[in-house]
Amino acid sequence: MGAHKLLFSELKLWTSGRGGWIARLHKGGCGKASLSSCSPKVCIVGSGPAGFYTAQHLIKARQDVEVDIYERLPVPFGLVRFGVAPDHPEVKNVINTFTQTAKHSRCSFYGNVNVGKNVSITELQQAYHAVVLSYGAEGNRSMGVPGEDLAGVYSAKDFVGWYNGLPSCRELSPDLSCETAVILGQGNVALDVARILLSPIDILKKTDITQPTLEALAESQVRRVLIVGRRGPIQIACTIKELREMVNLPDTRPDMVAADFDGVKEALKDLPRPRKRLTELMLKTALEVPGEKEQERRSKASRTWGFRFFRSPVEVLAEPGHSRIAGIRLAINKLEGSGDGAQAVLTGEVEDVPCGLVVSSIGYKSLPIDPSVPFDSRKAIVPNTMGRVKQAAGLYCSGWLKTGPTGVIATTMNNSFDTARSILEDMDSGTLDMSAAKPGSQSISALLEKRGVKPVTFSDWEKIDNVEMKRGESRGKPREKLLTVEEMLHVAWT
Amino acid sequence: MAASAAVRSSMGLTLRLSRVIPDCSTCPLFRLKCNAKNVANLQRRGSFDSLRTINRHLQTSIGLYHSEEGSSNAEHPEDVVNVVYIDRSGQRIPVKAKVGDNVLYLAHKHGIDLEGACEASLACSTCHVYVSAAHFDKLQEPEEREDDMLDMAPMLQENSRLGCQIILTPELDGIELTLPKVTRNFYVDGHVPKPH
C-alpha cells in the first residue's frame, strides 16, 4: 500500500506544474529522501512570540518546511516590542532568537500586510498547506460601568501601547496633572503601569520608552498610585518579580491597609511555593515594622503606591458640570471560598476614591480577524483542540488567540510548540493534505501587488532597527522608536 | 547582597573571558549586527551546522559562535565534567564538558532543545531543568532572583533549577539534567487534557 502510494505521488509530481519536483529539489524544497511529498508551506499570521516560536519549532523539526510570517505592522515582534515594559530590557533578549528564525533560509517575514483586509484567510489557505493564526489580543475587556468613557480613563492596553510607541496609541496624551491614579486590576500589566508612573525619570530616560512619554512623565504630578483588586491578597494575579520591583522602587514607599491582610498569615502554610513566597513578601511589606534604614528611606520618599483589596468599580465619577473624571466609586466585596476559586461577593457598601487618572487593567481581548474563521465571542478565543481550529481543516492557532490573554513569553513558547507539534502530527498522519504542491508566497505576493500592498521584508525592518538604535545612541537610550507607520515605511523603503 | 554581586561579576568576568557567557561588547556578532552581508554569512554557517548534525536544533547565534571555537574536549582530564542531559522525549544524551561550562550554553552547543529566551539574565524560566538528586545539594544556593523566576516555571519540583545559573564544577561530575515535559495544552478554563 505504501509503495503504491509513493509511486502514484511520484508520478503526480513528475507531471504536475512547471518545473515539477526537480525544480523544487533545486530550490531546496525537498530535503527529505522520500519524494512522496513536496515542501510543506506554512503561513503564520502575527509576528509576536507565538508566531515566531511556532515557526521556530516547525523549521527545526522538518528540513523541508517553509514558513512565511505575515504581520500587519511594518515592524515585527508584537508584544515583545509593544508590551514588555521599557525597564525590562532582558525580557526582550528573546528578539535575538526570533531574528535568527526570521533570517533562516526557510523563513520569510512579510510586514505591512493586513490579513483580513489586504488578503483573506481563504486566500491564504489556498496558497499554503497550513495557516496558523497567532495574532494575539489587540482589544481589551471593558469595565462595563458608567463613566468609563470620561476623559482621564484609559485601558492599560492603550497606556502600555502609548509608552511603548504603538502607532495607534500615539495620540493618547494622558493627563498626568492629578495627584492620585487608580489602576483597576492587579496583574503584571497593572504593576508595570504603576511602576512607569512612579519610576524616577533618571531611570526611565535610559530605556527605550518613547520621548513623548518621557516628556509627559517629567511633568507628571502623579504622586500616589492605588492598585485595586476585586478579591484578596491571596488571589492577587501579579508575580513576585514585579512586586519586588515596586517594593524596591527608589523614592517610593508602600501604603497598604493592614486589615486587608487579616487571616492571610494563617493561610500561608498551605500555599504552594510560588504563591507562598509572593504572599510572604506582601505581608512583610504591608505589616512588618521596618528597620531604621528602611524607615528613613520611606520617610524621605516623595511617592506612594499601595494595593487596595475587595473593591470593584461601579462608576467613574465626573466633576460636576464637566466631562473630566473626579473620582471612582468602588463597591466593597467580601470573599466566599478560599484560594484560587474564591469569589468576590458584593456587600452593598460603596466607597468613593478621589482621583484624576483611572487605568483599567482587567485583561486584553482577542478580536475576530475574518468572518470565515470560527470565533468564540464569550471566551474571545478561536475555538480549538490542541491548536487545531475546530471545524476548519488546515487552520491552526497559537499564543493568546488559542488560550486566552494570560501568560508570559515562556507560557506562549510552550503553547506555540504544542501547536507546531499538532501541525507536524497532522503532516505525518495525512490529516493535512500534502499531496499537492502549494504556491505559498509566490501567489500571495502577486495578489498583494495587484492590490497595491507592498510588504516590508526582514531586511527592510533591519533598516528601521538601525535607524532607531542610532537615534537612541545620541540620547543614551538603547533605541528611539519610530512612532508612526509612515515613518517606518519611509525608512524601510528608502 | 553586594558581596554576592561582586562574586557574580568576577565570575561573570572569568566566564566572559573564557567565552562561556557572552560579553556583547567584545563579541564580533555585536559589531556584525549592523552589517547585513556578514550576518548573511553567519546564517550560511548556521545552515551548514544543522546539516552536519542531523536532527540537531537551531542554536542561538551565541551557541553557533561557540561551537565553531574550540571543542568540548578538555585539555586536562581533571577539567572534564561528565554530564547527561535527558531530553523531553526521555532520550539520554551524554556530554563531556569542562569545569566552568554553563549548563544552558553547553546544551546549545550539543543541540539539546533547552531554550534560553532571556539569554541568561534571570528574566524568564525557559531554561528550567531538574537536577539529579545526588548533585542538587552540591549546587550553589539560588539567588533570590532565580527563585523568583523559578516560581513562574510550570511543573516546578524540589530539584528544579534554571540551567543558565548552573556552572559546572568538578563535584558535579555525573550530573543528570532532565528537561521538564511541558508537552501539554493549556485551556482557558484550566482543563488539562488526559494524556493519550
Side-chain angles (χ1 to χ4, degrees), chain A residues 49 53 80 84 88-95 97-98 188 239-242 245 273 277 407-414 417, chain B residues 60 88 104-105 108 114-129 142-154 156 160-165:
Chain A
Y53 273 129
V80 180
V84 175
H88 288 168
E90 323 80 17
V91 178
K92 301 190 201 196
N93 284 346
V94 74
I95 284 177
T97 309
F98 297 161
N188 286 339
T239 54
I240 195 170
K241 173 172 178 256
E242 282 70 16
E245 285 169 340
R273 175 191 132 146
R277 291 180 77 240
V408 294
I409 291 176
T411 327
T412 298
M413 179 186 84
N414 290 324
F417 287 173
Chain B
T60 61
R88 297 184 210 277
L104 174 63
Y105 294 116
H108 287 174
L114 191 59
E115 290 292 325
C118 75
E119 297 176 2
S121 49
L122 288 178
C124 79
S125 58
T126 58
C127 67
H128 173 210
V129 290
E143 58 177 283
E144 195 174 66
R145 286 170 41 192
E146 180 182 347
D147 273 332
D148 285 355
M149 293 323 298
L150 272 171
D151 280 356
M152 310 274 295
L156 191 67
S160 285
R161 288 298 298 264
L162 294 182
C164 70
Q165 300 300 299

Side-chain angles (χ1 to χ4, degrees), chain A residues 306-328:
Chain A
F307 294 128
R308 293 294 179 269
F309 294 101
F310 312 108
R311 301 288 186 273
S312 298
V314 288
E315 190 179 342
V316 180
L317 308 165
E319 249 167 70
H322 293 256
S323 59
R324 260 214 65 81
I325 171 185
I328 186 165

Side-chain angles (χ1 to χ4, degrees), chain A residues 270-487:
Chain A
D270 298 319
L271 298 174
R273 175 191 132 146
R275 177 62 66 186
K276 183 159 184 257
R277 291 180 77 240
L278 172 63
T279 311
E280 276 168 349
L281 180 58
M282 247 195 301
L283 277 173
K284 180 171 177 217
T285 308
L287 302 179
E288 204 180 78
V289 176
E292 206 182 304
K293 204 166 144 207
E294 171 65 8
Q295 186 64 350
E296 207 195 320
R297 191 195 73 82
R298 287 188 189 184
S299 61
K300 286 197 185 133
S302 67
R303 300 174 175 194
T304 68
W305 67 277
F307 294 128
R308 293 294 179 269
F309 294 101
F310 312 108
R311 301 288 186 273
S312 298
V314 288
E315 190 179 342
V316 180
L317 308 165
E319 249 167 70
H322 293 256
S323 59
R324 260 214 65 81
I325 171 185
I328 186 165
R329 178 159 293 160
L330 302 172
I332 300 177
N333 301 325
K334 64 173 194 270
L335 226 51
E336 261 174 27
S338 64
D340 287 343
Q343 306 261 25
V345 169
L346 293 170
T347 58
E349 287 176 57
V350 295
E351 172 184 85
D352 288 354
V353 177
C355 62
L357 177 66
V358 164
V359 179
S360 152
S361 183
I362 58 176
Y364 284 62
K365 197 166 83 169
S366 291
L367 304 176
I369 194 179
D370 187 299
S372 69
V373 176
F375 192 80
D376 180 337
S377 10
R378 193 178 64 84
K379 291 188 193 156
I381 57 166
V382 169
N384 70 92
T385 313
M386 314 265 272
R388 296 174 175 100
V389 177
K390 287 186 180 163
Q391 279 137 28
L395 206 54
Y396 300 82
C397 55
S398 67
W400 281 3
L401 186 62
K402 169 182 168 189
T403 58
T406 58
V408 294
I409 291 176
T411 327
T412 298
M413 179 186 84
N414 290 324
N415 161 332
S416 304
F417 287 173
D418 274 344
T419 295
R421 269 185 273 269
S422 293
I423 298 172
L424 293 163
E425 266 172 36
D426 290 353
M427 284 180 181
D428 288 340
S429 70
T431 307
L432 257 182
D433 183 8
M434 314 285 300
S435 54
K438 293 274 195 171
S441 58
Q442 261 189 332
S443 62
I444 300 298
S445 298
L447 256 176
L448 292 171
E449 197 178 335
K450 240 190 341 193
R451 293 169 186 172
V453 176
K454 186 175 172 194
V456 170
T457 65
F458 203 75
S459 337
D460 292 336
W461 145 248
E462 286 178 313
K463 285 198 241 168
I464 298 171
D465 192 24
N466 288 334
V467 164
E468 289 186 343
M469 288 193 291
K470 195 138 189 203
R471 283 195 188 182
E473 229 176 270
S474 54
R475 290 197 162 126
K477 296 164 86 171
R479 72 177 58 238
E480 189 60 64
K481 288 178 180 168
L482 299 185
L483 300 177
T484 64
V485 169
E486 291 70 34
E487 255 186 304

